[in-house]
Amino acid sequence: MNQGSKAVVVNAGSMLFFLDNTDQSERKDTLDSTLYSQLTASKEHSKFTELADWSNRYLAASLRFGWMLRSSESISQSVADQPLDTVWGWIRNTHSAAGLQAAVEEGEALARQSYRDHPDQHAISLFARQAIQCSADNESRAVVIQLGFTGPMSTLILIRVSFTTRQFLTPTFLFDPVTPQDIVGNVDLTFYSMELRGELYSLFREGIDAGLNDRRAEFVCPLQVADHVQ
């Protein structure tokens, strides 16, 4: 994994994978802009109960603050007849991920080893709290996650996965097999290809930085990752 993702950061309900050679200022801009867009959307809508509205608001905020949408695709699929699998497996099995196999497999391996080697780290519990909401009767759990893979020239592939399950989920849910028969409805996946335009984001950088000064500690935490993934 010498040329791949080396830094993984939990950013509210997103997990972002950064290339080893990503400039620190570019990394900060990506983290801040995606966090600010999430918080902006969540001020108006619950992603667990109003996901369509939340997603539209998130995208609008992202475009407003400097991101350019290059392409997007949404897929809603039933997994009832599919074998036991994980969130990562659902992503790999979609045609939309055909060109992302290396990044997805590398990101999965990196995060999986971090979860295994450091099971008590704060980033794991933070991501679970941000990604899972139990129903009022505790009979089901709504899950909404975003996995982001950075590329050269401030590009980002963002994958959103959402589903509802009757299965009990642990903080390691990202790697636990999800029983197909426990899924309520479909599994929804959305793929975004985006690019952060630095000249536009620079107009908002100072204000966003100030607005997040007292929020980053609550929502942002890096995963502990090894130099070499086995």
Side-chain angles (χ1 to χ4, degrees):
M1 298 185 67
N2 293 334
Q3 301 301 319
S5 301
K6 285 293 184 67
V8 187
V9 183
V10 170
N11 186 275
S14 300
M15 185 176 289
L16 302 180
F17 298 81
F18 291 93
L19 296 177
D20 192 33
N21 59 357
T22 303
D23 181 79
Q24 289 296 321
S25 61
E26 181 181 326
R27 183 180 300 181
K28 183 177 184 297
D29 286 349
T30 299
L31 287 168
D32 282 356
S33 59
T34 53
L35 177 58
Y36 202 82
S37 295
Q38 289 177 88
L39 296 179
T40 297
S42 294
K43 280 184 66 175
E44 300 180 18
H45 305 285
S46 166
K47 64 183 178 182
F48 298 108
T49 59
E50 305 169 289
L51 182 56
D53 291 330
W54 187 93
S55 299
N56 289 336
R57 188 68 185 94
Y58 174 84
L59 182 58
S62 297
L63 299 180
R64 171 79 173 97
F65 299 127
W67 286 96
M68 177 178 67
L69 182 64
R70 301 164 72 178
S71 64
S72 67
E73 182 177 6
S74 295
I75 301 168
S76 184
Q77 60 184 22
S78 172
V79 297
D81 298 326
Q82 296 184 17
L84 195 68
D85 213 337
T86 66
V87 169
W88 295 95
W90 294 338
I91 294 172
R92 286 195 303 270
N93 292 334
T94 64
H95 67 272
S96 298
L100 307 173
Q101 291 292 341
V104 171
E105 289 176 2
E106 183 178 52
E108 178 184 7
L110 193 66
R112 184 185 294 275
Q113 180 163 325
S114 177
Y115 273 53
R116 184 186 65 214
D117 293 348
H118 309 281
D120 297 324
Q121 62 180 304
H122 175 65
I124 294 177
S125 57
L126 170 62
F127 190 61
R129 287 197 306 273
Q130 292 294 315
I132 303 171
Q133 179 173 279
C134 293
S135 61
D137 58 8
N138 204 33
E139 290 295 319
S140 64
R141 289 137 195 91
V143 178
V144 182
I145 66 169
Q146 296 189 146
L147 302 175
F149 303 88
T150 64
M153 305 297 292
S154 300
T155 56
L156 176 70
I157 300 297
L158 190 69
I159 305 172
R160 181 182 301 126
V161 183
S162 63
F163 62 97
T164 299
T165 179
R166 290 183 290 268
Q167 180 176 327
F168 177 78
L169 299 177
T170 72
T172 61
F173 76 97
L174 196 57
F175 300 100
D176 295 336
V178 182
T179 305
Q181 291 73 24
D182 284 335
I183 296 292
V184 180
N186 285 354
V187 173
D188 297 317
L189 302 97
T190 302
F191 294 77
Y192 298 103
S193 175
M194 309 178 78
E195 179 181 343
L196 185 60
R197 295 174 292 176
E199 71 282 359
L200 180 55
Y201 182 70
S202 66
L203 302 176
F204 304 98
R205 183 181 289 115
E206 184 176 346
I208 288 176
D209 182 60
L212 293 177
N213 272 341
D214 60 347
R215 310 298 300 276
R216 292 189 186 92
E218 180 182 358
F219 293 107
V220 181
C221 185
L223 280 182
Q224 300 178 48
V225 297
D227 291 335
H228 301 284
V229 174
Q230 300 175 354

